[in-house]
Amino acid sequence: MSHPTVTVKIRDVLKYGQERAVRLGRTQQLELGDNLFIRIGPGGRRFLLFQLEGEPEMGLARAIAEALGLHQPQYGWHQGATLRSLTVIEEGSVEQPEAP
């Protein structure tokens, strides 16, 4: 017996991942496509967007930041050992170390 197809909006999937990141205090990774992944950090106010081949587009990162409700997101790049990832952090969401 085949089950009916259910369509889930990508915005709902992103919000679910964000809610889990907040609730569990752990990074949540979602596969958004064959070659596109997102890691939503604990607290849900920052994320890392990456592809296994190539680099994610800035416009996509902006759309995701908007869907997650981030205020004044800051964009940057992180070069890992094998992947270059786009980082997005809501301004003020990461604690800054105190000056000595």
Side-chain angles (χ1 to χ4, degrees), residues 38-80:
I38 184 172
R39 287 186 181 153
I40 303 173
R45 307 316 295 171
R46 59 188 168 163
F47 66 87
L48 189 77
L49 191 63
F50 65 97
Q51 294 180 272
L52 299 178
E53 295 179 16
E55 296 177 351
E57 296 179 17
M58 183 66 72
L60 183 56
R62 285 191 172 103
I64 291 172
E66 183 179 324
L68 293 176
L70 301 186
H71 303 286
Q72 298 180 329
Q74 305 298 308
Y75 301 90
W77 290 96
H78 171 74
Q79 180 63 54

Side-chain angles (χ1 to χ4, degrees), residues 13 17 23 29-30 38 53 75 81 88-89 91 97 99:
V13 171
R23 188 175 71 248
Q29 181 168 310
L30 303 168
I38 184 172
E53 295 179 16
Y75 301 90
V88 182
I89 301 172
E91 187 175 46

